[in-house]
Amino acid sequence: MNKTIKATFFSLTFFIFLPLLSGCSEEEYYFVFRDDANDTESISKTAKELENFELPIPEKEGFSFDGWYLDSLKTVEYDTTLLKEGVNQLYAKYSPNNYTITVHADQDITYNFKYDEDIKLQPISKDDYTFVGYYTNVGLTDEFSQTRMPSHNIELFPKFERNLHYYSFVYHSNNDEQLDTVSKEKNELASYVLPIPEKEGFSFDGWYLDS
């Protein structure tokens, strides 16, 4: 009889305390960090640990980290009140950084591009010169050839070649005899002095453009 009472008392005690014991287990949250720039990482945290848990801050070249999101479309920002017990997928969101290209010409020109954006630069006009291209050094020996914006600012220097304009002078005497032919580049004209020929018994009056 005593054995029966003891067994019944133990059974009742077990079933009474079983729900209490179950309720003592802490909620656990699993996080799967999905990041196209880094390896996927998984960690678990209890509800108590969650209070002081700081999400990792990943890095991605040319981008700024905007935060973790709870959906793959990255529209729902991470919020502890939205977490569910069990597995929570977190998605990293980034935005491309802005970088500049500065062209050092007579007046500096600045272009703005996002990381990995197509680089499109305009040629520079200069009187009596032909634009050759952009170079990365003052000595104009290293030609700039990048087509997409890197993760740093760039300084460029334009290169020009002078347009050579030649003028030929054919000198004729009074009787249309050809005396001489001279060629001069455009920038030499300002300092060029026409010859002064001599003719016995005559004074030289000057050169004329028509016969």
Side-chain angles (χ1 to χ4, degrees), residues 92 106 117 125:
D106 293 336
E117 186 179 354
S125 298

Side-chain angles (χ1 to χ4, degrees), residues 55-59 65 68:
L55 295 173
I57 300 176
E59 294 182 354
F65 176 64
W68 292 103

Side-chain angles (χ1 to χ4, degrees), residues 97-160:
N97 294 331
N98 290 309
Y99 298 97
T100 61
I101 294 180
T102 302
V103 176
H104 296 292
D106 293 336
Q107 291 184 338
D108 286 356
I109 303 169
T110 301
Y111 293 89
N112 294 292
F113 295 99
K114 292 185 182 299
Y115 173 71
D116 204 37
E117 186 179 354
D118 286 339
I119 295 176
K120 295 179 181 178
L121 304 177
Q122 298 298 320
I124 298 177
S125 298
K126 187 175 181 179
D127 291 344
D128 292 326
Y129 286 84
T130 297
F131 174 73
V132 176
Y134 290 107
Y135 288 73
T136 58
N137 63 324
V138 178
L140 304 178
T141 56
D142 300 325
E143 188 172 6
F144 178 69
S145 59
Q146 288 181 280
T147 58
R148 304 186 76 82
M149 194 65 200
S151 57
H152 58 81
N153 298 326
I154 297 174
E155 294 188 35
L156 297 179
F157 304 86
K159 184 177 182 178
F160 300 93

